[in-house]
Amino acid sequence: MATLGIPQNTIAVLQKYNFNFQKKYGQNFLVDTHVLEKIMDAAQITKEDCVVEIGPGIGTMTQYLAERAGEVVAVEIDKNLIPILEDTLSEYENVTIINDDILKVDLNRIVEEKNQGKPVKVVANLPYYITTPIIMGLFENHVPLKSITIMVQKEVADRMQVGPGTKDYGALSLAVQYYAKPEIVAIVPPNCFIPRPNVGSAVIRLTRYEETPVKVKDEKFMFSLIRASFNQRRKTLANGLSNAQNLYLSREKVAEALEKMGLSATIRGEALTLEQFAQLSDLLDCQ
Ligand code: SAM
């Protein structure tokens, strides 16, 4: 099968199967061999790797992965793509296609079955409508991971990389930076896809830390604090956290903890570093 990274080949497959794009599934297929090579370089795939691909589409990136990896497992929600994938990937024996919703499959079980529970690499041109739940799901469910190399909306890639005091800083930045080191490796314009998305894209690599850069007693509680802080971005941290129904914190308790940390009682969540959120979490957790 000729590479699908070349637009004419993708168009030929789409016509052969009379494929109708489903907008609700965020279907924008990559047709640029340079970008595909860049993704492969960034993910540094070798025969030692078991790769999980999210949303293989017609199999464009899957072909590249199958050539380089030991094992590829690709999870695709759209049943109309399954016969196409069986065709475009027919020459590879190291690819398993699962027709399911990535937010519903048990990835820990798949990693256990396909890679004896050892860390896998996730590589994907993600469906943009569920970028955040996919990333949070991978981290929060503690799927054994080496790295995640993904195409996302450019603006979302920026959010994953920024620090405190910027408008893009939020719960996603903190979650990503707690678990992994983020690096944008390519900026990708809309004309690299069929059909063209109406936003710019970027490839970002998240390399999982072996040990998290900050230590916190209760990770879950810290992320509840983080979420509550950014849900009410415009409020001071003391007001925002005491308003959050699920936290049972009084304004005074939060103000007292902030004072212990040498921070103003009127500070907002967006000014706190990950380290400070961890410290605040430990102080509030034991009360
Ligand atoms: N990997 C292909 C490429 O690069 O050309 C397709 C990428 S396209 C942006 C996203 C793919 O994810 C589509 O094939 C879409 O059907 C699939 N998808 C959307 N939602 C999904 C979900 N919840 N679970 C699994 N796959 C999903």
Side-chain angles (χ1 to χ4, degrees):
M1 170 69 65
T3 173
L4 299 166
I6 294 167
Q8 295 88 305
N9 295 344
T10 283
I11 291 165
V13 168
L14 296 173
Q15 285 176 346
K16 177 176 169 192
Y17 287 91
N18 201 10
F19 180 74
N20 286 318
F21 285 97
Q22 299 237 44
K23 221 175 167 186
K24 67 171 179 185
Y25 288 148
Q27 291 175 339
N28 300 97
F29 298 160
L30 193 52
V31 281
D32 189 303
T33 51
H34 297 295
V35 175
L36 284 155
E37 291 287 352
K38 261 195 187 160
I39 297 173
M40 294 305 118
D41 287 351
Q44 293 167 11
I45 308 293
T46 72
K47 288 284 167 204
E48 305 294 304
D49 290 315
C50 173
V51 175
V52 174
E53 186 189 6
I54 299 162
I58 59 168
T60 313
M61 194 145 77
T62 328
Q63 292 181 333
Y64 278 72
L65 293 169
E67 296 281 349
R68 291 160 178 81
E71 188 79 37
V72 181
V73 182
V75 182
E76 173 57 60
I77 197 169
D78 185 353
K79 67 173 178 0
N80 294 326
L81 286 167
I82 306 304
I84 306 183
L85 287 165
E86 278 162 9
D87 179 7
T88 60
L89 302 171
S90 60
E91 67 196 66
Y92 301 106
E93 284 177 2
N94 57 347
V95 179
T96 309
I97 304 290
I98 299 174
N99 182 203
D100 209 336
D101 179 345
I102 189 66
L103 298 178
K104 296 198 179 132
V105 292
D106 182 350
L107 276 180
N108 283 300
R109 190 179 51 77
I110 293 174
V111 174
E112 191 58 52
E113 276 173 20
K114 292 285 174 190
N115 207 35
Q116 299 84 47
K118 291 182 298 200
V120 296
K121 289 183 176 171
V122 171
V123 183
N125 170 16
L126 285 186
Y128 294 172
Y129 73 108
I130 43 170
T131 302
T132 302
I134 290 175
I135 297 173
M136 295 307 289
L138 290 168
F139 287 138
E140 286 178 350
N141 297 324
H142 295 279
V143 176
L145 289 173
K146 284 187 197 159
S147 61
I148 305 176
T149 307
I150 41 176
M151 177 90 70
V152 296
Q153 197 177 324
K154 163 80 173 59
E155 201 188 302
V156 178
D158 290 338
R159 266 197 262 152
M160 292 188 222
Q161 267 204 328
V162 293
T166 53
K167 75 169 177 25
D168 288 335
Y169 186 59
L172 182 66
S173 332
L174 285 153
V176 164
Q177 292 165 30
Y178 177 70
Y179 292 108
K181 179 174 153 216
E183 292 160 280
I184 292 181
V185 293
I187 304 296
V188 184
N191 63 8
C192 295
F193 302 87
I194 294 178
R196 294 181 184 194
N198 41 26
V199 292
S201 302
V203 178
I204 189 163
R205 177 179 57 210
L206 312 175
T207 311
R208 183 84 159 88
Y209 290 126
E210 281 187 17
E211 275 192 46
T212 56
V214 305
K215 298 282 165 260
V216 63
K217 276 187 249 162
D218 185 344
E219 211 173 275
K220 261 202 166 140
F221 181 66
M222 177 177 77
F223 281 110
S224 307
L225 283 183
I226 289 174
R227 270 191 210 110
S229 310
F230 288 98
N231 275 346
Q232 307 202 19
R233 247 192 131 91
R234 287 158 173 270
K235 293 217 158 86
T236 64
L237 206 50
N239 283 337
L241 295 183
S242 57
N243 280 343
Q245 303 279 323
N246 59 332
L247 292 174
Y248 308 100
L249 292 168
S250 69
R251 218 192 149 281
E252 292 68 35
K253 269 187 184 170
V254 181
E256 199 183 300
L258 289 172
E259 199 187 329
K260 274 192 195 153
M261 292 169 62
L263 297 173
S264 150
T266 59
I267 199 163
R268 293 197 178 137
E270 64 199 20
L272 263 62
T273 62
L274 175 59
E275 210 156 14
Q276 288 170 321
F277 269 112
Q279 221 180 330
L280 182 65
S281 171
D282 284 352
L283 283 168
L284 293 172
D285 201 18
C286 58
Q287 301 200 15

mmCIF file of all heavy atoms in Angstrom, residues 22 24-31 36 53-62 75-78 81 100-103 124-130 134 193, ligand 1:
data_model
loop_
_atom_site.group_PDB
_atom_site.id
_atom_site.type_symbol
_atom_site.label_atom_id
_atom_site.label_comp_id
_atom_site.label_asym_id
_atom_site.label_seq_id
_atom_site.Cartn_x
_atom_site.Cartn_y
_atom_site.Cartn_z
ATOM 1 N N GLN A 22 -17.133 12.383 9.490
ATOM 2 C CA GLN A 22 -18.055 12.653 10.594
ATOM 3 C C GLN A 22 -17.460 13.784 11.423
ATOM 4 O O GLN A 22 -16.488 13.584 12.152
ATOM 5 C CB GLN A 22 -18.170 11.416 11.475
ATOM 6 C CG GLN A 22 -18.719 10.239 10.725
ATOM 7 C CD GLN A 22 -19.956 9.706 11.397
ATOM 8 O OE1 GLN A 22 -20.835 10.469 11.804
ATOM 9 N NE2 GLN A 22 -20.029 8.414 11.532
ATOM 10 N N LYS A 24 -18.566 15.172 14.034
ATOM 11 C CA LYS A 24 -18.658 14.964 15.494
ATOM 12 C C LYS A 24 -17.464 14.178 16.041
ATOM 13 O O LYS A 24 -17.204 14.187 17.234
ATOM 14 C CB LYS A 24 -19.967 14.259 15.855
ATOM 15 C CG LYS A 24 -20.062 12.849 15.350
ATOM 16 C CD LYS A 24 -21.280 12.125 15.912
ATOM 17 C CE LYS A 24 -21.316 10.725 15.340
ATOM 18 N NZ LYS A 24 -22.434 9.929 15.648
ATOM 19 N N TYR A 25 -16.744 13.486 15.186
ATOM 20 C CA TYR A 25 -15.574 12.714 15.638
ATOM 21 C C TYR A 25 -14.254 13.449 15.404
ATOM 22 O O TYR A 25 -13.182 12.871 15.575
ATOM 23 C CB TYR A 25 -15.517 11.353 14.933
ATOM 24 C CG TYR A 25 -16.576 10.366 15.386
ATOM 25 C CD1 TYR A 25 -17.100 9.429 14.501
ATOM 26 C CD2 TYR A 25 -17.033 10.345 16.703
ATOM 27 C CE1 TYR A 25 -18.050 8.507 14.912
ATOM 28 C CE2 TYR A 25 -17.992 9.437 17.113
ATOM 29 C CZ TYR A 25 -18.498 8.518 16.219
ATOM 30 O OH TYR A 25 -19.430 7.606 16.625
ATOM 31 N N GLY A 26 -14.321 14.700 15.008
ATOM 32 C CA GLY A 26 -13.087 15.479 14.826
ATOM 33 C C GLY A 26 -12.169 14.867 13.781
ATOM 34 O O GLY A 26 -10.963 14.758 13.996
ATOM 35 N N GLN A 27 -12.746 14.470 12.643
ATOM 36 C CA GLN A 27 -11.951 13.772 11.619
ATOM 37 C C GLN A 27 -11.248 14.743 10.668
ATOM 38 O O GLN A 27 -11.875 15.316 9.781
ATOM 39 C CB GLN A 27 -12.849 12.791 10.851
ATOM 40 C CG GLN A 27 -13.279 11.629 11.737
ATOM 41 C CD GLN A 27 -14.262 10.681 11.091
ATOM 42 O OE1 GLN A 27 -14.940 11.043 10.141
ATOM 43 N NE2 GLN A 27 -14.366 9.478 11.624
ATOM 44 N N ASN A 28 -9.965 14.937 10.885
ATOM 45 C CA ASN A 28 -9.120 15.717 9.973
ATOM 46 C C ASN A 28 -7.888 14.861 9.737
ATOM 47 O O ASN A 28 -7.070 14.683 10.639
ATOM 48 C CB ASN A 28 -8.723 17.060 10.608
ATOM 49 C CG ASN A 28 -9.937 17.903 10.942
ATOM 50 O OD1 ASN A 28 -10.409 17.905 12.069
ATOM 51 N ND2 ASN A 28 -10.458 18.602 9.953
ATOM 52 N N PHE A 29 -7.791 14.301 8.539
ATOM 53 C CA PHE A 29 -6.726 13.335 8.277
ATOM 54 C C PHE A 29 -5.456 14.041 7.808
ATOM 55 O O PHE A 29 -5.490 14.957 6.987
ATOM 56 C CB PHE A 29 -7.201 12.293 7.254
ATOM 57 C CG PHE A 29 -8.386 11.474 7.715
ATOM 58 C CD1 PHE A 29 -9.190 10.797 6.806
ATOM 59 C CD2 PHE A 29 -8.695 11.361 9.069
ATOM 60 C CE1 PHE A 29 -10.280 10.033 7.232
ATOM 61 C CE2 PHE A 29 -9.777 10.601 9.514
ATOM 62 C CZ PHE A 29 -10.571 9.942 8.590
ATOM 63 N N LEU A 30 -4.346 13.579 8.349
ATOM 64 C CA LEU A 30 -3.053 14.200 8.076
ATOM 65 C C LEU A 30 -2.547 13.793 6.695
ATOM 66 O O LEU A 30 -2.526 12.602 6.369
ATOM 67 C CB LEU A 30 -2.089 13.724 9.168
ATOM 68 C CG LEU A 30 -0.761 14.422 9.338
ATOM 69 C CD1 LEU A 30 -0.915 15.933 9.459
ATOM 70 C CD2 LEU A 30 -0.068 13.881 10.584
ATOM 71 N N VAL A 31 -2.182 14.782 5.887
ATOM 72 C CA VAL A 31 -1.633 14.460 4.558
ATOM 73 C C VAL A 31 -0.361 15.265 4.338
ATOM 74 O O VAL A 31 -0.311 16.166 3.497
ATOM 75 C CB VAL A 31 -2.648 14.734 3.411
ATOM 76 C CG1 VAL A 31 -3.668 13.619 3.309
ATOM 77 C CG2 VAL A 31 -3.346 16.069 3.593
ATOM 78 N N LEU A 36 4.544 13.889 9.333
ATOM 79 C CA LEU A 36 4.545 12.506 9.838
ATOM 80 C C LEU A 36 5.947 12.092 10.281
ATOM 81 O O LEU A 36 6.129 11.507 11.354
ATOM 82 C CB LEU A 36 4.023 11.558 8.757
ATOM 83 C CG LEU A 36 2.491 11.610 8.591
ATOM 84 C CD1 LEU A 36 2.063 11.179 7.199
ATOM 85 C CD2 LEU A 36 1.810 10.737 9.650
ATOM 86 N N GLU A 53 -2.041 4.022 19.520
ATOM 87 C CA GLU A 53 -2.476 5.161 18.704
ATOM 88 C C GLU A 53 -3.960 5.413 18.969
ATOM 89 O O GLU A 53 -4.766 4.482 18.960
ATOM 90 C CB GLU A 53 -2.253 4.903 17.206
ATOM 91 C CG GLU A 53 -2.571 6.169 16.417
ATOM 92 C CD GLU A 53 -2.604 6.023 14.893
ATOM 93 O OE1 GLU A 53 -2.495 4.895 14.384
ATOM 94 O OE2 GLU A 53 -2.760 7.055 14.232
ATOM 95 N N ILE A 54 -4.296 6.676 19.188
ATOM 96 C CA ILE A 54 -5.696 7.042 19.428
ATOM 97 C C ILE A 54 -6.248 7.636 18.142
ATOM 98 O O ILE A 54 -5.709 8.621 17.631
ATOM 99 C CB ILE A 54 -5.788 8.063 20.587
ATOM 100 C CG1 ILE A 54 -5.218 7.440 21.867
ATOM 101 C CG2 ILE A 54 -7.233 8.534 20.779
ATOM 102 C CD1 ILE A 54 -4.865 8.445 22.947
ATOM 103 N N GLY A 55 -7.302 7.027 17.592
ATOM 104 C CA GLY A 55 -7.932 7.534 16.373
ATOM 105 C C GLY A 55 -7.057 7.387 15.145
ATOM 106 O O GLY A 55 -6.534 8.369 14.612
ATOM 107 N N PRO A 56 -6.881 6.155 14.630
ATOM 108 C CA PRO A 56 -6.016 5.962 13.457
ATOM 109 C C PRO A 56 -6.584 6.508 12.146
ATOM 110 O O PRO A 56 -5.840 6.621 11.168
ATOM 111 C CB PRO A 56 -5.863 4.439 13.386
ATOM 112 C CG PRO A 56 -7.062 3.895 14.080
ATOM 113 C CD PRO A 56 -7.395 4.872 15.162
ATOM 114 N N GLY A 57 -7.890 6.829 12.101
ATOM 115 C CA GLY A 57 -8.474 7.341 10.854
ATOM 116 C C GLY A 57 -8.420 6.277 9.774
ATOM 117 O O GLY A 57 -8.903 5.155 9.957
ATOM 118 N N ILE A 58 -7.765 6.592 8.628
ATOM 119 C CA ILE A 58 -7.637 5.581 7.571
ATOM 120 C C ILE A 58 -6.287 4.859 7.676
ATOM 121 O O ILE A 58 -5.916 4.090 6.787
ATOM 122 C CB ILE A 58 -7.830 6.175 6.154
ATOM 123 C CG1 ILE A 58 -6.805 7.275 5.863
ATOM 124 C CG2 ILE A 58 -9.254 6.683 5.960
ATOM 125 C CD1 ILE A 58 -6.768 7.692 4.386
ATOM 126 N N GLY A 59 -5.523 5.165 8.725
ATOM 127 C CA GLY A 59 -4.294 4.403 8.973
ATOM 128 C C GLY A 59 -3.008 5.095 8.531
ATOM 129 O O GLY A 59 -1.949 4.453 8.476
ATOM 130 N N THR A 60 -3.101 6.391 8.260
ATOM 131 C CA THR A 60 -1.942 7.127 7.735
ATOM 132 C C THR A 60 -0.734 7.034 8.672
ATOM 133 O O THR A 60 0.350 6.595 8.277
ATOM 134 C CB THR A 60 -2.322 8.616 7.542
ATOM 135 O OG1 THR A 60 -3.571 8.657 6.878
ATOM 136 C CG2 THR A 60 -1.263 9.367 6.779
ATOM 137 N N MET A 61 -0.940 7.435 9.933
ATOM 138 C CA MET A 61 0.176 7.425 10.878
ATOM 139 C C MET A 61 0.459 5.992 11.338
ATOM 140 O O MET A 61 1.595 5.645 11.666
ATOM 141 C CB MET A 61 -0.168 8.315 12.069
ATOM 142 C CG MET A 61 1.009 8.628 12.922
ATOM 143 S SD MET A 61 0.883 10.271 13.554
ATOM 144 C CE MET A 61 -0.306 10.014 14.831
ATOM 145 N N THR A 62 -0.588 5.171 11.335
ATOM 146 C CA THR A 62 -0.436 3.771 11.761
ATOM 147 C C THR A 62 0.595 3.065 10.878
ATOM 148 O O THR A 62 1.388 2.257 11.369
ATOM 149 C CB THR A 62 -1.793 3.032 11.674
ATOM 150 O OG1 THR A 62 -2.837 3.966 11.948
ATOM 151 C CG2 THR A 62 -1.853 1.884 12.649
ATOM 152 N N VAL A 75 -6.912 2.502 18.576
ATOM 153 C CA VAL A 75 -8.308 2.512 19.024
ATOM 154 C C VAL A 75 -9.093 3.534 18.214
ATOM 155 O O VAL A 75 -8.798 4.734 18.270
ATOM 156 C CB VAL A 75 -8.391 2.855 20.536
ATOM 157 C CG1 VAL A 75 -9.843 2.809 21.012
ATOM 158 C CG2 VAL A 75 -7.519 1.913 21.359
ATOM 159 N N GLU A 76 -10.067 3.064 17.450
ATOM 160 C CA GLU A 76 -10.838 3.942 16.555
ATOM 161 C C GLU A 76 -12.333 3.788 16.849
ATOM 162 O O GLU A 76 -12.858 2.681 16.850
ATOM 163 C CB GLU A 76 -10.535 3.587 15.083
ATOM 164 C CG GLU A 76 -11.386 4.288 14.056
ATOM 165 C CD GLU A 76 -11.319 5.819 14.144
ATOM 166 O OE1 GLU A 76 -10.231 6.395 14.000
ATOM 167 O OE2 GLU A 76 -12.385 6.435 14.369
ATOM 168 N N ILE A 77 -13.020 4.911 17.037
ATOM 169 C CA ILE A 77 -14.449 4.866 17.403
ATOM 170 C C ILE A 77 -15.362 4.627 16.204
ATOM 171 O O ILE A 77 -16.427 4.015 16.334
ATOM 172 C CB ILE A 77 -14.850 6.177 18.138
ATOM 173 C CG1 ILE A 77 -16.173 6.013 18.880
ATOM 174 C CG2 ILE A 77 -14.950 7.348 17.162
ATOM 175 C CD1 ILE A 77 -16.480 7.157 19.835
ATOM 176 N N ASP A 78 -14.953 5.100 15.022
ATOM 177 C CA ASP A 78 -15.854 5.102 13.865
ATOM 178 C C ASP A 78 -15.828 3.745 13.156
ATOM 179 O O ASP A 78 -14.838 3.379 12.527
ATOM 180 C CB ASP A 78 -15.422 6.231 12.909
ATOM 181 C CG ASP A 78 -16.373 6.398 11.738
ATOM 182 O OD1 ASP A 78 -17.293 5.561 11.583
ATOM 183 O OD2 ASP A 78 -16.187 7.367 10.975
ATOM 184 N N LEU A 81 -14.639 3.155 9.577
ATOM 185 C CA LEU A 81 -13.203 3.169 9.241
ATOM 186 C C LEU A 81 -12.555 1.788 9.372
ATOM 187 O O LEU A 81 -11.454 1.571 8.849
ATOM 188 C CB LEU A 81 -12.471 4.183 10.135
ATOM 189 C CG LEU A 81 -12.720 5.659 9.788
ATOM 190 C CD1 LEU A 81 -12.231 6.570 10.903
ATOM 191 C CD2 LEU A 81 -12.021 6.026 8.473
ATOM 192 N N ASP A 100 -13.515 1.061 19.326
ATOM 193 C CA ASP A 100 -14.122 1.474 20.602
ATOM 194 C C ASP A 100 -13.844 2.959 20.842
ATOM 195 O O ASP A 100 -13.072 3.586 20.111
ATOM 196 C CB ASP A 100 -13.534 0.637 21.741
ATOM 197 C CG ASP A 100 -14.520 0.467 22.902
ATOM 198 O OD1 ASP A 100 -15.418 1.312 23.039
ATOM 199 O OD2 ASP A 100 -14.366 -0.503 23.660
ATOM 200 N N ASP A 101 -14.451 3.455 21.915
ATOM 201 C CA ASP A 101 -14.258 4.844 22.333
ATOM 202 C C ASP A 101 -13.063 4.877 23.293
ATOM 203 O O ASP A 101 -13.060 4.167 24.305
ATOM 204 C CB ASP A 101 -15.554 5.280 23.049
ATOM 205 C CG ASP A 101 -15.490 6.701 23.551
ATOM 206 O OD1 ASP A 101 -14.380 7.281 23.623
ATOM 207 O OD2 ASP A 101 -16.561 7.239 23.894
ATOM 208 N N ILE A 102 -12.073 5.684 22.977
ATOM 209 C CA ILE A 102 -10.853 5.721 23.800
ATOM 210 C C ILE A 102 -11.159 6.106 25.258
ATOM 211 O O ILE A 102 -10.436 5.709 26.177
ATOM 212 C CB ILE A 102 -9.789 6.692 23.190
ATOM 213 C CG1 ILE A 102 -8.439 6.563 23.901
ATOM 214 C CG2 ILE A 102 -10.259 8.143 23.215
ATOM 215 C CD1 ILE A 102 -7.740 5.276 23.733
ATOM 216 N N LEU A 103 -12.249 6.844 25.461
ATOM 217 C CA LEU A 103 -12.584 7.247 26.830
ATOM 218 C C LEU A 103 -13.250 6.106 27.609
ATOM 219 O O LEU A 103 -13.465 6.217 28.805
ATOM 220 C CB LEU A 103 -13.492 8.483 26.825
ATOM 221 C CG LEU A 103 -12.873 9.741 26.202
ATOM 222 C CD1 LEU A 103 -13.871 10.890 26.201
ATOM 223 C CD2 LEU A 103 -11.599 10.160 26.941
ATOM 224 N N ALA A 124 -0.483 10.136 18.581
ATOM 225 C CA ALA A 124 -1.805 10.352 17.979
ATOM 226 C C ALA A 124 -1.943 11.735 17.371
ATOM 227 O O ALA A 124 -1.300 12.689 17.801
ATOM 228 C CB ALA A 124 -2.893 10.184 19.041
ATOM 229 N N ASN A 125 -2.787 11.769 16.344
ATOM 230 C CA ASN A 125 -3.316 13.038 15.858
ATOM 231 C C ASN A 125 -4.703 13.070 16.484
ATOM 232 O O ASN A 125 -5.625 12.425 16.000
ATOM 233 C CB ASN A 125 -3.356 12.988 14.320
ATOM 234 C CG ASN A 125 -4.106 14.140 13.711
ATOM 235 O OD1 ASN A 125 -4.372 15.142 14.361
ATOM 236 N ND2 ASN A 125 -4.463 13.986 12.437
ATOM 237 N N LEU A 126 -4.831 13.754 17.613
ATOM 238 C CA LEU A 126 -6.028 13.593 18.448
ATOM 239 C C LEU A 126 -7.279 14.212 17.855
ATOM 240 O O LEU A 126 -7.199 15.233 17.163
ATOM 241 C CB LEU A 126 -5.783 14.252 19.821
ATOM 242 C CG LEU A 126 -4.894 13.539 20.820
ATOM 243 C CD1 LEU A 126 -4.920 14.295 22.146
ATOM 244 C CD2 LEU A 126 -5.306 12.100 21.043
ATOM 245 N N PRO A 127 -8.445 13.606 18.181
ATOM 246 C CA PRO A 127 -9.700 14.306 17.906
ATOM 247 C C PRO A 127 -9.793 15.482 18.896
ATOM 248 O O PRO A 127 -9.791 15.259 20.109
ATOM 249 C CB PRO A 127 -10.766 13.237 18.175
ATOM 250 C CG PRO A 127 -10.113 12.180 19.005
ATOM 251 C CD PRO A 127 -8.633 12.285 18.792
ATOM 252 N N TYR A 128 -9.819 16.723 18.373
ATOM 253 C CA TYR A 128 -9.644 17.886 19.253
ATOM 254 C C TYR A 128 -10.761 18.081 20.277
ATOM 255 O O TYR A 128 -10.553 18.688 21.314
ATOM 256 C CB TYR A 128 -9.476 19.176 18.417
ATOM 257 C CG TYR A 128 -8.198 19.197 17.595
ATOM 258 C CD1 TYR A 128 -7.971 20.206 16.662
ATOM 259 C CD2 TYR A 128 -7.209 18.230 17.757
ATOM 260 C CE1 TYR A 128 -6.805 20.235 15.903
ATOM 261 C CE2 TYR A 128 -6.051 18.245 16.997
ATOM 262 C CZ TYR A 128 -5.855 19.250 16.074
ATOM 263 O OH TYR A 128 -4.704 19.278 15.326
ATOM 264 N N TYR A 129 -11.958 17.525 19.990
ATOM 265 C CA TYR A 129 -13.083 17.783 20.908
ATOM 266 C C TYR A 129 -12.922 17.081 22.259
ATOM 267 O O TYR A 129 -13.641 17.389 23.207
ATOM 268 C CB TYR A 129 -14.425 17.392 20.241
ATOM 269 C CG TYR A 129 -14.670 15.904 20.108
ATOM 270 C CD1 TYR A 129 -15.626 15.261 20.902
ATOM 271 C CD2 TYR A 129 -13.951 15.116 19.203
ATOM 272 C CE1 TYR A 129 -15.852 13.887 20.792
ATOM 273 C CE2 TYR A 129 -14.174 13.757 19.088
ATOM 274 C CZ TYR A 129 -15.119 13.148 19.880
ATOM 275 O OH TYR A 129 -15.335 11.794 19.777
ATOM 276 N N ILE A 130 -11.986 16.130 22.351
ATOM 277 C CA ILE A 130 -11.789 15.436 23.641
ATOM 278 C C ILE A 130 -10.316 15.402 24.061
ATOM 279 O O ILE A 130 -9.893 14.500 24.788
ATOM 280 C CB ILE A 130 -12.371 13.997 23.622
ATOM 281 C CG1 ILE A 130 -12.027 13.273 22.312
ATOM 282 C CG2 ILE A 130 -13.849 13.991 23.895
ATOM 283 C CD1 ILE A 130 -12.347 11.783 22.331
ATOM 284 N N ILE A 134 -8.834 13.014 27.250
ATOM 285 C CA ILE A 134 -7.922 11.923 26.876
ATOM 286 C C ILE A 134 -6.630 12.038 27.685
ATOM 287 O O ILE A 134 -6.176 11.078 28.311
ATOM 288 C CB ILE A 134 -7.608 11.943 25.357
ATOM 289 C CG1 ILE A 134 -8.839 11.528 24.539
ATOM 290 C CG2 ILE A 134 -6.437 10.997 25.037
ATOM 291 C CD1 ILE A 134 -8.665 11.625 23.022
ATOM 292 N N PHE A 193 -4.011 18.952 6.417
ATOM 293 C CA PHE A 193 -5.078 17.988 6.729
ATOM 294 C C PHE A 193 -6.161 18.002 5.648
ATOM 295 O O PHE A 193 -6.380 19.011 4.988
ATOM 296 C CB PHE A 193 -5.765 18.375 8.050
ATOM 297 C CG PHE A 193 -4.863 18.466 9.244
ATOM 298 C CD1 PHE A 193 -4.174 19.651 9.545
ATOM 299 C CD2 PHE A 193 -4.708 17.390 10.106
ATOM 300 C CE1 PHE A 193 -3.353 19.754 10.654
ATOM 301 C CE2 PHE A 193 -3.891 17.487 11.224
ATOM 302 C CZ PHE A 193 -3.215 18.662 11.502
HETATM 303 N N1 SAM B 1 -4.771 9.465 12.786
HETATM 304 C C1 SAM B 1 -5.508 9.918 11.620
HETATM 305 C C2 SAM B 1 -4.659 10.899 10.844
HETATM 306 O O1 SAM B 1 -3.697 11.420 11.419
HETATM 307 O O2 SAM B 1 -4.951 11.141 9.691
HETATM 308 C C3 SAM B 1 -6.857 10.535 12.010
HETATM 309 C C4 SAM B 1 -6.819 11.683 12.987
HETATM 310 S S1 SAM B 1 -8.365 12.480 13.225
HETATM 311 C C5 SAM B 1 -7.827 14.073 13.794
HETATM 312 C C6 SAM B 1 -9.006 11.820 14.750
HETATM 313 C C7 SAM B 1 -9.450 10.363 14.702
HETATM 314 O O3 SAM B 1 -9.950 9.991 15.996
HETATM 315 C C8 SAM B 1 -10.580 10.060 13.730
HETATM 316 O O4 SAM B 1 -10.281 8.908 13.010
HETATM 317 C C9 SAM B 1 -11.802 9.836 14.621
HETATM 318 O O5 SAM B 1 -12.781 8.997 14.053
HETATM 319 C C10 SAM B 1 -11.151 9.246 15.868
HETATM 320 N N2 SAM B 1 -11.927 9.416 17.118
HETATM 321 C C11 SAM B 1 -12.751 10.436 17.449
HETATM 322 N N3 SAM B 1 -13.261 10.264 18.679
HETATM 323 C C12 SAM B 1 -12.725 9.109 19.149
HETATM 324 C C13 SAM B 1 -12.877 8.382 20.375
HETATM 325 N N4 SAM B 1 -13.663 8.821 21.368
HETATM 326 N N5 SAM B 1 -12.207 7.219 20.518
HETATM 327 C C14 SAM B 1 -11.409 6.734 19.517
HETATM 328 N N6 SAM B 1 -11.230 7.384 18.344
HETATM 329 C C15 SAM B 1 -11.872 8.555 18.162
#
